[in-house]
Amino acid sequence: MSINVQSHNSFSREKAINLLQSGKLVVFPTETVYGIGAVAADDKAVASIFALKGRPSFNPLIVHVSSIAMAQKEVVWNERAELLAKKFWPGPLTLVLHRNKHASVSFLASAGGDTLAVRMPDNQVALALIEGSGKPLAAPSANRSGRVSPTSAQHVLEEFGDSVPLIIDGGDCKVGVESTVLDITGERPVLLRPGGITQEVLEEILNQKIMRASATAQGDLKSPGMLESHYAPGLPVRLNATSVDSAEALLAFGPNHPAGASRVINLSEKGDTVEAAARLFAALRELDDTSYTAIAVMPIPDIGLGVAINDRLRRAAAQKP
Ligand code: TXA
Ligand code: MG
């Protein structure tokens, strides 16, 4: 592998933190997907994330913290935040809250808005970097804007090559889809992005119904991650395939799949949505090969992590802008 990739066992923590503190970007593993991180208070470093990703600057970044206390310095904490953070942090839940008056986070990271998205990742490397920096790290998924998120260091290399100074290889991400994004600024919590923690589980803990924000036209987006076409491979994606063309690649799910595809990857032979989520993005990358005409995707049950999987697949299938 390239010289900018270092194993999570052997990377120099001090060097990584020095890079971050001098305004450089470091790619690190989280339990969901790999993130490309910068000190969130550093405007220039945050700007370089947008530049490298080719990301529209209206799309705000998630701010990663290593403790509840660190989050409380950046956002206006509330009871629901306390309840959810105590239960799910570290873990794949991002909370959108009002920005604290004294927040250190760059306004660019929150795209000029008055809210901030915070989460505490469940990964020792990520936590060590945040703790070592002493400040939150802004880190979007480490992919070019509009492409599927990376779940291995190899995927990150395919996206950025050596244009980032350090990629810390922590192996395959165990969750595999991005965090759930929940807006708890208002009376009713709003699910902005289904993800690693399901709506049902959140409703149970909150003892309250959660509204599902619908993907609207660009412009009045509550969470730009809801852009219709967002997680997009280059090939057309055909959903709910019950039969397959010989020129197509098939993304299968469950013990039985239609015969005849050029290539098959099964997300979970035993039909487990957790296993399928962990494999989803790697499989999409692998099948996104111009020797096939399209990626046909078998139906996946809309329960548990299936909700997040189907959300990403719908975006992958949406017309590209
Ligand atoms: O699992 C994850 O969340 C990964 C890892 C690296 O932590 N990160 C990630 O970041 O997926 P990103 O930037 O690719 O997606 C962030 C999502 C976007 O949909 C964005 O619009 C939304 O969070 N978001 C960020 N700040 C927000 C805010 N203040 N209000 C509403 N949505 C926000
Ligand atoms: Mg992303």
Side-chain angles (χ1 to χ4, degrees), residues 28-37 49-50 53 55 58-64 91-97 109-111 113-121 138-143 147 149-150 175-183 185 192-193 195-196 221-227 230-231 312 315:
F28 58 84
T30 81
E31 79 283 28
T32 57
V33 300
Y34 277 73
I36 179 161
I49 295 183
F50 285 112
K53 280 185 62 97
R55 180 172 206 163
F58 55 73
N59 200 350
L61 309 179
I62 293 174
V63 171
H64 295 68
L93 176 65
T94 296
L95 299 175
V96 173
L97 288 155
S110 53
D114 62 356
T115 59
L116 271 184
V118 287
R119 98 169 181 101
M120 179 173 168
S141 50
N143 53 276
R147 307 234 318 141
S149 296
V175 177
V177 289
E178 300 88 344
S179 60
T180 302
V181 181
L182 187 70
D183 182 335
T185 54
L192 298 178
R193 178 174 77 180
L221 283 174
K222 190 93 206 234
S223 185
M226 293 168 53
L227 277 176
H230 187 80
Y231 300 90
R312 304 309 186 267
R315 288 163 208 281

Side-chain angles (χ1 to χ4, degrees), residues 15-28 36-50 61-65 70 74 104-110 129-140:
K15 259 196 205 147
I17 290 163
N18 278 340
L19 281 170
L20 288 165
Q21 288 180 336
S22 61
K24 300 288 193 306
L25 307 183
V26 172
V27 173
F28 58 84
I36 179 161
V39 171
D42 183 337
D43 291 303
K44 265 172 80 179
V46 171
S48 67
I49 295 183
F50 285 112
L61 309 179
I62 293 174
V63 171
H64 295 68
V65 296
M70 193 184 269
E74 306 296 333
S104 73
V105 172
S106 156
F107 276 103
L108 189 58
S110 53
L129 293 183
I130 302 161
E131 232 161 66
S133 306
K135 280 184 181 166
L137 299 180

Side-chain angles (χ1 to χ4, degrees), residues 240-254:
N240 295 316
T242 48
S243 63
V244 65
D245 186 276
S246 63
E248 289 178 322
L250 177 68
L251 191 62
F253 179 86

